Amino acid sequence: MALNLRQKQTSLIVRMLNLNQAPSTASSLSSTENEEEIYKILIMDSFCRSILSPLIRVNDLRKHGVTLYLPIEKPRQPVPGVPAVYFVRATPENIDLVAKDAAAPLYDSFHLNFSSSLPRPLLDRLAAQTVQTDSAARISKLYDQYLEFISLEESLFSLGQADTYLQLNDPKAGDQEIEAMIEKIVSGIFCVLATLGVVPVIRCARGGPAEMVASALDTRLRDHLISKPNLFTESGGLATSFQRPVLCIFDRNFELSVGIQHDWSYRPLVHDILGLKLNRVNMPPGNATKSYELDDSDSFWAANSWSPFPKVAEEIELQLKAYKQDVDEVNRRTGGQGGVEFEGTDLIGNTKHLMNAVNSLPELTERKNVIDKHTNIATVLLGQIKERSLDGFCDCESDMLAKGSVDKSVLLSLLKGKGTKEDKLRLAITYLLSFESPVPSELEMIEAALKESEVDISAYQYVKRIKSLNASFASSSSVASRSNIVDWAEKLYGQSISAVTAGVKNLLSAGRQLALTRTVDTLMEAKPGTEVDSYLLFDPRAPRAGSGAQFRGPFRDAIVFMIGGGNYVEYRSLMELAESSQPAKHVVYGTTEILNGKEFVDQLAALGKKMGFGAAATVNPDFKTTKHFAAQVNGIFSLN
């Protein structure tokens, strides 16, 4: 069973653009006698534009009869006699805008498509407003599309939910805010499963957001499966145990350092330096081209995006050399013989060469465009690497995480030398996460260097404080004291507390396989007596009572979902697992949002400030009492 998420989402969007008919059916209808092709206007909100951006280009829209696409948020002029396809989220604001457009009326008919499902209160709201303005008849169709996620690649998706880590870990967040965020994540994952047409077996660690999401998703799926028919009815043949995928849900705190460290591969570097968003990068001011698309349609990107940057630079040179040789060959074959007249056979041969040259021009032009694109991108990356000494940061962090050791002189020179403030902060936090018990004198040295560089250490202090709280109470023999902070920590961080303190020097194995990848591999193999035996199992198709009917694997397909922000380093590691496995495995990686190191550290810094840390904060801030602080957060993040 192939989990072709991007392909399935694209086909559903194409169907939506054809007024929710199969394209072939729409085509046959439009070709009937005395009937012209149906031209439409597409209306979207900002989030749904993000959904379409990596999948559908402007030319593709025109192929499906979309002559104009407009944002719902901005004022629009009436276009009489034309149907409008709306693709928007189910929000009160969008419902009000749709009702206002229908009352105007801006268009002839309205085909409403909601990215998830339309709740009954919002449906009633739409009905009331359209009845009041006598415009209900203009609403032609209304569909719940369950497409509220962004497919970036065949095996990569994002829910596009910003600042999830910050919101879930905010010590000031109330129960209702946490529950609303969990429900939002569950709704996004449900859309992914509905699009794939699969009901997975769900595995997660105990405690924290991962368990909360897994439990709520299990309930959502069970409730939906009661009704017949349902979104998964057509996929009933895939429901047998050996064909179902496993959904592995993790919290970002399971492996903090991966979201912070620098990486030397081409794709993570592009994401880190240029900010890869929706498969597009925006170039710095001064470049002739403002932005580039980077996806599987770019052959160079597909072949080299995971390569180390020096190898990418070499490959660009090789491809440029090959391109020049091919151009010279074309010129040689079509250049004639210095004005000498051709005989008949020569003329025919030369004409053949000219035809071949003309046919090869589009391919040569495309190759040149790709080479120019990656030459420009690599030039910007190289400038940043030299200016910020990024190779040094990568090497130092790799040594700490993989070997559990660090050259103090190198570490100190990086903290005091080149690099942005964020680079130095990320290095310091990586050091903090790499050692179970950092040497106090080294910590003082690092903090002094950060202060000398005028770095805001809110994020550093936040991670340090969480480690300190766990270390203090995890070793406590008092059950009473543990019931406060440790229970809170487990609920808030799940596996993270152990990951933060349990010697992340073992984070990377000899093959540089991430802890996340090793855990996913173990969950897919489902061998007893492993470290994942304690992981919770939810099977929405099994009876609630008892676990005898629950299927534990092994699995050939997996969906790995990271709550709180994912990254391309984890994605690459999971793809390597799938490619190297025998027999072959298929893994889809999803996350609430894809973050680079700076973006993730910004969320850590915001949390640090909420906990009372700041740029001028002391190394050990004075809480009134640790017990009082623990009791506060324990109440805020209770799972009940």
Side-chain angles (χ1 to χ4, degrees):
M1 177 185 62
L3 302 176
N4 297 319
L5 182 61
R6 182 182 172 94
Q7 177 183 337
K8 292 187 176 183
Q9 188 182 34
T10 303
S11 65
L12 289 172
I13 288 175
V14 167
R15 183 184 179 91
M16 178 191 74
L17 295 176
N18 286 278
L19 305 183
N20 286 287
Q21 299 174 354
S24 57
T25 304
S27 176
S28 62
L29 288 175
S30 63
S31 62
T32 56
E33 188 176 356
N34 299 325
E35 185 175 353
E36 297 180 356
E37 183 178 356
I38 300 175
Y39 292 102
K40 296 144 286 195
I41 293 177
L42 178 61
I43 310 297
M44 298 179 287
D45 61 14
S46 59
F47 184 83
C48 290
R49 287 197 299 274
S50 298
I51 295 175
L52 258 68
S53 179
L55 302 175
I56 307 288
R57 291 183 169 86
V58 174
N59 290 338
D60 296 323
L61 289 175
R62 292 170 180 164
K63 291 177 184 177
H64 299 289
V66 176
T67 58
L68 193 63
Y69 58 97
L70 300 167
I72 192 173
E73 305 92 348
K74 295 183 179 180
R76 285 159 281 120
Q77 297 297 319
V79 184
V82 176
V85 176
Y86 279 71
F87 184 39
V88 295
R89 290 171 298 173
T91 65
E93 296 78 12
N94 285 339
I95 291 296
D96 293 344
L97 289 170
V98 169
K100 182 180 177 181
D101 292 350
L106 293 185
Y107 314 109
D108 182 58
S109 60
F110 292 70
H111 298 258
L112 306 183
N113 301 272
F114 293 96
S115 56
S116 57
S117 59
L118 182 65
R120 185 56 186 258
L122 292 182
L123 178 61
D124 293 341
R125 181 174 182 149
L126 176 63
Q129 292 187 36
T130 53
V131 167
Q132 185 178 3
T133 58
D134 195 25
S135 57
R138 298 190 183 98
I139 307 297
S140 178
K141 297 286 184 179
L142 189 152
Y143 296 91
D144 295 335
Q145 293 290 357
Y146 295 99
L147 295 171
E148 200 162 289
F149 59 93
I150 302 168
S151 294
L152 297 171
E153 295 186 12
E154 202 63 62
S155 300
L156 176 66
F157 72 91
S158 165
L159 299 186
Q161 298 177 4
D163 297 330
T164 308
Y165 183 88
L166 171 60
Q167 296 173 47
L168 286 175
N169 294 280
D170 186 352
K172 297 181 181 179
D175 289 345
Q176 291 184 347
E177 294 172 286
I178 296 296
E179 290 171 2
M181 178 55 60
I182 295 297
E183 177 56 33
K184 189 177 179 183
I185 295 171
V186 169
S187 177
I189 299 176
F190 184 87
C191 288
V192 171
L193 299 178
T195 300
L196 289 171
V198 296
V199 180
V201 175
I202 305 170
R203 300 298 303 270
C204 71
R206 296 180 182 274
E211 181 181 352
M212 296 170 72
V213 169
S215 178
L217 180 61
D218 176 63
T219 301
R220 174 85 177 266
L221 288 169
R222 287 179 181 276
D223 292 344
H224 181 78
L225 290 171
I226 292 174
S227 61
K228 302 289 183 179
N230 56 59
L231 293 170
F232 305 97
T233 301
E234 295 181 0
S235 302
L238 299 177
T240 53
S241 298
F242 68 93
Q243 289 178 316
R244 294 169 63 192
V246 59
L247 170 60
C248 310
I249 301 178
F250 297 90
D251 173 21
R252 177 67 275 157
N253 291 301
F254 175 80
E255 206 170 4
L256 264 184
S257 61
V258 184
I260 297 169
Q261 68 186 85
H262 295 82
D263 194 85
W264 196 230
S265 300
Y266 189 34
R267 186 184 303 216
L269 268 176
V270 170
H271 186 217
D272 209 343
I273 294 174
L274 295 176
L276 180 61
K277 299 289 184 183
L278 302 176
N279 294 341
R280 178 175 289 273
V281 293
N282 294 318
M283 300 298 286
N287 285 269
T289 304
K290 294 183 178 180
S291 65
Y292 291 113
E293 287 189 5
L294 295 172
D295 55 24
D296 290 341
S297 64
D298 181 336
S299 58
F300 186 92
W301 178 255
N304 299 281
S305 64
W306 299 123
S307 299
F309 181 72
K311 186 177 179 181
V312 172
E314 293 175 3
E315 185 63 26
I316 292 174
E317 289 292 331
L318 290 175
Q319 293 207 12
L320 180 59
K321 183 178 179 180
Y323 165 79
K324 290 180 177 179
Q325 289 176 346
D326 290 345
V327 171
D328 290 341
E329 179 66 15
V330 170
N331 291 334
R332 185 184 68 80
R333 287 178 176 271
T334 59
Q337 298 291 329
V340 177
E341 293 185 5
F342 292 105
E343 297 180 0
T345 55
D346 292 337
L347 184 59
I348 293 173
N350 192 62
T351 302
K352 184 178 179 179
H353 290 316
L354 284 171
M355 292 177 63
N356 290 336
V358 170
N359 292 333
S360 67
L361 281 178
E363 187 264 342
L364 288 172
T365 302
E366 177 61 23
R367 284 172 59 187
K368 183 62 165 59
N369 291 338
V370 169
I371 293 171
D372 288 345
K373 174 203 296 188
H374 290 282
T375 299
N376 292 339
I377 292 174
T379 300
V380 174
L381 297 184
L382 183 59
Q384 287 292 303
I385 290 170
K386 291 181 177 179
E387 183 179 333
R388 295 161 56 182
S389 295
L390 291 180
D391 52 338
F393 283 95
C394 290
D395 290 342
C396 186
E397 291 169 358
S398 179
D399 286 344
M400 289 190 291
L401 292 169
K403 302 176 183 178
S405 62
V406 62
D407 186 322
K408 297 177 186 177
S409 61
V410 172
L411 177 65
L412 193 60
S413 65
L414 288 169
L415 291 172
K416 293 184 177 181
K418 296 180 180 180
T420 63
K421 294 179 180 181
E422 289 80 11
D423 291 329
K424 297 173 183 179
L425 181 60
R426 289 163 64 182
L427 177 64
I429 296 175
T430 302
Y431 170 87
L432 199 60
L433 295 171
S434 299
F435 302 96
E436 186 172 356
S437 301
V439 180
S441 60
E442 292 183 3
L443 286 178
E444 292 176 2
M445 175 191 72
I446 289 172
E447 290 161 12
L450 292 175
K451 184 177 180 181
E452 182 180 330
S453 297
E454 299 180 343
V455 176
D456 183 344
I457 59 174
S458 302
Y460 173 87
Q461 294 287 28
Y462 172 75
V463 176
K464 183 180 178 182
R465 183 61 176 173
I466 295 303
K467 281 193 64 175
S468 175
L469 289 172
N470 180 68
S472 299
F473 288 94
S475 60
S476 173
S477 59
S478 170
V479 177
S481 64
R482 286 177 58 85
S483 66
N484 282 323
I485 189 63
V486 174
D487 284 354
W488 160 73
E490 289 175 352
K491 291 174 182 176
L492 176 57
Y493 291 97
Q495 285 294 104
S496 110
I497 293 299
S498 60
V500 166
T501 60
V504 192
K505 61 187 177 183
N506 295 320
L507 188 67
L508 299 175
S509 65
R512 298 187 64 81
Q513 191 180 64
L514 301 180
L516 173 72
T517 307
R518 296 200 304 272
T519 304
V520 170
D521 189 23
T522 305
L523 288 170
M524 293 184 74
E525 292 295 331
K527 294 179 180 178
T530 61
E531 63 271 17
V532 299
D533 285 349
S534 62
Y535 274 47
L536 297 174
L537 185 150
F538 299 88
D539 188 349
R541 289 196 180 274
R544 287 187 182 275
S547 59
Q550 293 177 332
F551 179 69
R552 294 179 173 269
F555 301 92
R556 292 179 299 181
D557 302 278
I559 303 168
V560 180
F561 189 81
M562 180 61 70
I563 302 169
N567 52 74
Y568 285 107
V569 176
E570 283 178 339
Y571 176 49
R572 175 189 61 196
S573 183
L574 290 169
M575 293 306 101
E576 289 173 349
L577 167 68
E579 293 170 2
S580 62
S581 298
Q582 292 295 333
K585 296 177 180 177
H586 187 205
V587 180
V588 173
Y589 177 64
T591 177
T592 47
E593 61 177 328
I594 297 182
L595 300 170
N596 58 31
K598 180 184 181 303
E599 292 166 340
F600 183 53
V601 167
D602 286 344
Q603 293 192 41
L604 292 175
L607 286 170
K609 290 180 171 64
K610 287 177 180 290
M611 289 180 65
F613 302 109
T618 57
V619 173
N620 293 304
D622 181 28
F623 290 93
K624 293 180 180 178
T625 65
T626 305
K627 184 176 180 180
H628 175 68
F629 171 72
Q632 281 185 317
V633 294
N634 187 44
I636 291 173
F637 288 97
S638 174
L639 285 174
N640 299 324

